[in-house]
Amino acid sequence: MKLLTVEHLVQKFALKVLAGDEQLQKAITQPRSHRPGLEFVGHFDFFPTERVQILGSKEITYLHKLSLDERQFRIGNIVKYHPPCFIVTAGEEGLTYLTQYCLEEGIPLLCTNTPQPTSEFITKLDAYMVKALAPETAIHGVCINVYGMGILIRGKSGVGKSETAHTLIGRGHRLVADDIVVLKKLSPTTILGTHDEKTKEFLSLRSIGLLNVVRLYGRKAFQDETRIALDIELTKWQKDTLNNELEQESKFTEYMGVKIPHIEIQLQPGRDVAGLIEAAANNWLLKQQGYSAAEEFIKRLESEF
């Protein structure tokens, strides 16, 4: 898990720091934010104190309407739990009382540059924190987006992973990562593939060298990340190991507890590997829509009898 701090949020969302400049290195460990509505009226049984606290127009309007003593009491009840920070999305006007409490308790108080719809800001903030705090691992291979779906291409060194990726880029698909692929677990069913920054936009081809696919083929040849849908392994051709069954039994590769459909493609001179990967991607998409070519073929055979 990578370290995420309050300062990262300040930089990412261009937030103003109203209090707690010296506390911007406070760690954020929870990927979801929280709006303290029930807490302001005294219900703390399920208060997620480790989450970033968001104060929108509803919360700020409520505080403004309270008497001075009541307002101090309500705010004091929350700040004593020392959440990582408060972010106000309703503008900074009239926040003197809140600024004072955050200064006294050493809690960063942040504010968006301009008032924003709170729900929209929370959506963007949570999406960023989920990715930043997601468990991750790195594997050797290539990640490419084919027809809008992420595909991992794996295999032993020199088997032709990068060359296959180059052919797919020439057919209009997009490189995500070459050599080192960073996988992030966003949910129990979702793996995100991305690069490690150092290899961003680069593709390494034997006998040719390092290529910058964006400089060569334009921005459309690259994208930062993609959801992984297929794991394809390129292996050397082995005589008498392939069969012609109507439909192969489903196999999976597991990454951080998430199962990804796995396909093995054996290499032989003359095989259009890039074309096979495109076919595998399209076939997977059809299966997600409930269609199976093998089932339809069997039904046609049965109708003959």
Side-chain angles (χ1 to χ4, degrees), residues 79-297:
V79 298
K80 68 182 181 182
Y81 287 97
H82 289 88
C85 66
F86 289 100
I87 300 178
V88 179
T89 62
E92 58 183 297
E93 185 178 353
L95 298 181
T96 305
Y97 55 89
L98 188 57
T99 303
Q100 177 185 347
Y101 268 91
C102 288
L103 283 172
E104 292 175 357
E105 297 294 333
I107 302 172
L109 175 61
L110 314 175
C111 179
T112 56
N113 270 311
T114 57
Q116 296 186 20
T118 307
S119 58
E120 292 181 11
F121 179 79
I122 288 176
T123 298
K124 293 185 291 184
L125 176 66
D126 286 358
Y128 171 73
M129 292 194 297
V130 165
K131 290 181 183 179
L133 293 172
E136 66 178 49
T137 187
I139 66 167
H140 175 65
V142 175
C143 181
I144 195 159
N145 184 281
V146 177
Y147 298 130
M149 57 187 289
I151 294 180
L152 288 176
I153 303 175
R154 299 186 297 107
K156 293 183 178 180
S157 181
V159 78
K161 301 182 295 296
S162 298
E163 290 82 355
T164 300
H166 182 259
T167 302
L168 288 166
I169 292 170
R171 296 184 180 186
H173 306 295
R174 297 179 175 183
L175 176 71
V176 176
D178 181 42
D179 192 30
I180 298 174
V181 181
V182 177
L183 301 179
K184 295 187 176 186
K185 181 180 179 180
L186 300 188
S187 77
T189 59
T190 304
I191 292 288
L192 191 75
T194 186
H195 49 79
D196 68 348
E197 292 294 341
K198 295 187 293 293
T199 59
K200 180 179 179 179
E201 301 176 356
F202 289 130
L203 182 67
S204 179
L205 298 178
R206 290 175 182 266
S207 303
I208 302 298
L210 207 59
L211 306 180
N212 186 310
V213 298
V214 172
R215 295 292 184 93
L216 281 176
Y217 305 113
R219 176 54 55 186
K220 66 180 182 179
F222 174 81
Q223 70 179 60
D224 259 330
E225 57 191 30
T226 186
R227 179 175 176 175
I228 302 300
L230 278 179
D231 176 76
I232 294 180
E233 183 179 6
L234 304 184
T235 61
K236 292 183 178 180
W237 183 273
Q238 297 180 29
K239 188 177 180 180
D240 300 328
T241 59
L242 292 178
N243 53 57
N244 292 318
E245 294 179 1
L246 292 179
E247 195 163 42
Q248 297 289 334
E249 181 181 351
S250 297
K251 297 181 180 179
F252 299 89
T253 303
E254 192 170 301
Y255 296 105
M256 294 177 285
V258 180
K259 291 184 176 180
I260 304 296
H262 170 82
I263 296 173
E264 178 184 341
I265 295 180
Q266 292 191 9
L267 305 179
Q268 191 180 45
R271 293 200 92 190
D272 180 10
V273 180
L276 291 174
I277 290 176
E278 288 179 324
N282 278 324
N283 199 45
W284 182 87
L285 288 170
L286 285 174
K287 286 183 178 180
Q288 301 312 298
Q289 297 168 7
Y291 174 80
S292 169
E295 290 180 3
E296 182 179 356
F297 180 70

Side-chain angles (χ1 to χ4, degrees), residues 10-57:
V10 172
Q11 295 174 352
K12 175 66 178 179
F13 297 98
L15 301 173
K16 295 180 182 179
V17 181
L18 305 181
D21 299 70
E22 298 178 354
Q23 303 296 324
L24 296 183
Q25 296 306 314
K26 291 183 69 172
I28 297 171
T29 59
Q30 297 298 316
R32 302 287 182 185
S33 56
H34 176 69
R35 296 184 73 172
L38 289 175
E39 289 75 21
F40 275 131
V41 295
H43 296 281
F44 291 91
D45 292 343
F46 302 100
F47 183 30
T49 58
E50 296 180 351
R51 293 188 183 184
V52 172
Q53 304 298 313
I54 307 295
L55 303 178
S57 57

